[in-house]
């Protein structure tokens, strides 16, 4: 899906259900992408969910990949 993805891990920590969602968002339209993931996973998210984000941003011109 154009270099963007998320990973969801579900399990038990101290006998409580926990869900961790790590979102790797593209440079362009990151907010829209994150909103769509949250909509798509709405049934999986509850008060025990931890959401992490990793925005794919370049720090300098040297960090950018060349063709």
């Amino acid at each position: 899906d154009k270099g963007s993805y998320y990973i969801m891990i579900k399990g038990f920590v101290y006998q409580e259900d926990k869900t961790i969602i790590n979102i790797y968002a593209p440079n362009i339209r990151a907010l829209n992408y994150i909103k769509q993931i949250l909509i798509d996973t709405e049934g999986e998210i509850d008060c025990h969910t931890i959401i992490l984000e990793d925005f794919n941003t370049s720090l300098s011109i040297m960090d950018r990949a060349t063709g």
Side-chain angles (χ1 to χ4, degrees):
D1 61 18
K2 300 178 185 169
S4 52
Y5 61 89
Y6 70 96
I7 298 171
M8 180 183 299
I9 301 170
K10 299 184 104 183
F12 288 95
V13 177
Y14 297 112
Q15 299 173 336
E16 290 185 12
D17 284 329
K18 298 293 180 189
T19 303
I20 299 172
I21 301 175
N22 185 353
I23 302 171
Y24 178 82
N27 286 340
I28 301 169
R29 301 179 66 214
L31 185 57
N32 291 337
Y33 179 75
I34 293 168
K35 282 182 183 179
Q36 187 60 49
I37 288 175
L38 295 177
I39 290 168
D40 293 346
T41 59
E42 185 175 359
E44 306 288 331
I45 295 174
D46 61 16
C47 65
H48 300 287
T49 301
I50 301 168
I51 300 173
L52 309 165
E53 299 173 22
D54 180 10
F55 295 103
N56 184 17
T57 56
S58 299
L59 299 176
S60 71
I61 195 87
M62 297 294 286
D63 292 331
R64 297 183 188 155
T66 57

